[in-house]
Amino acid sequence: MPYQEKKRKPIRRDFTPAGAEGAVVGRNAVRELLKSGRDVDKIFVQRGEREGSITLLVAEAFERKIPVVEVEKPKLDMLSGGGNHQGIVAMAAQKTYSSIDEILEIAEARGEKPFLLILDGVEDPHNLGAIIRSADVFGVHGVIIPKRRASGVTAAVEKASAGALEHMAIAKVT
């Protein structure tokens, strides 16, 4: 029988895991969520995954009296929409959008000239998360995104930003 190459499915760049509303997925994203002080309803940890940074995250959750629930991997897969959850998913209130005036107030409070990042047409949530992560590093006071034809703040954006989303003001405008 001659060698036959397997046909591979094309990679879908437009795929965004659905996940649960308000899910914060992955170790870095959950760490930054806990640092931000945003309300956390519950943290789900994969059964048997009490190693490394998850131990610290669970300890901090216990300290803040946040319920920690051990679940099987399929439950985390469902909550994360099939994304790479790294054994932990937190359920939190959705990040609220800021107004442009609030972003300008952040700059004024720091005694700096406003440094805004205005994005147009960034449809891939992974790209938006990476941009927010870079903006945080460079000291941007806030990111402005359009309401239409662009990615909003989703669990995929939170994960791709590696938690930087928790420290960045985001305004959504027409």
Side-chain angles (χ1 to χ4, degrees):
M1 182 167 180
Y3 172 76
Q4 292 181 351
E5 188 173 328
K6 292 182 180 179
K7 289 186 179 181
R8 296 180 185 204
K9 292 181 181 179
I11 297 172
R12 288 185 53 199
R13 299 284 179 205
D14 62 336
F15 174 71
T16 304
E21 189 76 17
V24 177
V25 179
R27 295 176 187 205
N28 290 328
V30 171
R31 179 182 310 114
E32 294 302 321
L33 171 67
L34 292 171
K35 282 183 188 175
S36 76
R38 187 162 50 137
D39 287 337
V40 179
D41 299 327
K42 194 179 294 187
I43 294 179
F44 294 96
V45 178
Q46 185 172 331
R47 194 173 313 281
E49 282 286 322
R50 293 284 176 101
E51 297 176 353
S53 60
I54 287 189
T55 306
L56 299 173
L57 296 173
V58 169
E60 187 172 341
F62 283 139
E63 191 175 294
R64 289 184 50 192
K65 300 192 180 1
I66 299 169
V68 176
V69 180
E70 280 194 359
V71 295
E72 298 299 327
K73 186 177 184 300
K75 173 77 172 177
L76 290 178
D77 292 340
M78 190 242 350
L79 289 171
S80 67
N84 183 10
H85 50 72
Q86 300 171 317
I88 189 164
V89 174
M91 302 306 293
Q94 284 286 31
K95 178 165 177 71
T96 56
Y97 289 103
S98 302
S99 69
I100 295 175
D101 290 335
E102 289 171 336
I103 294 173
L104 295 174
E105 288 172 9
I106 292 169
E108 188 177 320
R110 293 181 187 169
E112 301 170 349
K113 291 183 180 179
F115 185 15
L116 306 176
L117 181 60
I118 302 172
L119 303 177
D120 185 27
V122 178
E123 295 178 354
D124 182 18
H126 298 95
N127 288 345
L128 180 58
I131 290 168
I132 291 170
R133 187 175 63 233
S134 298
D136 187 44
V137 169
F138 289 108
V140 171
H141 297 114
V143 177
I144 301 171
I145 59 175
K147 282 187 178 177
R148 293 178 184 79
R149 296 189 198 109
S151 176
V153 175
T154 64
V157 172
E158 180 95 34
K159 172 93 169 104
S161 76
L165 181 64
E166 296 301 324
H167 308 288
M168 183 62 59
I170 310 290
K172 198 169 192 178
V173 299
T174 53

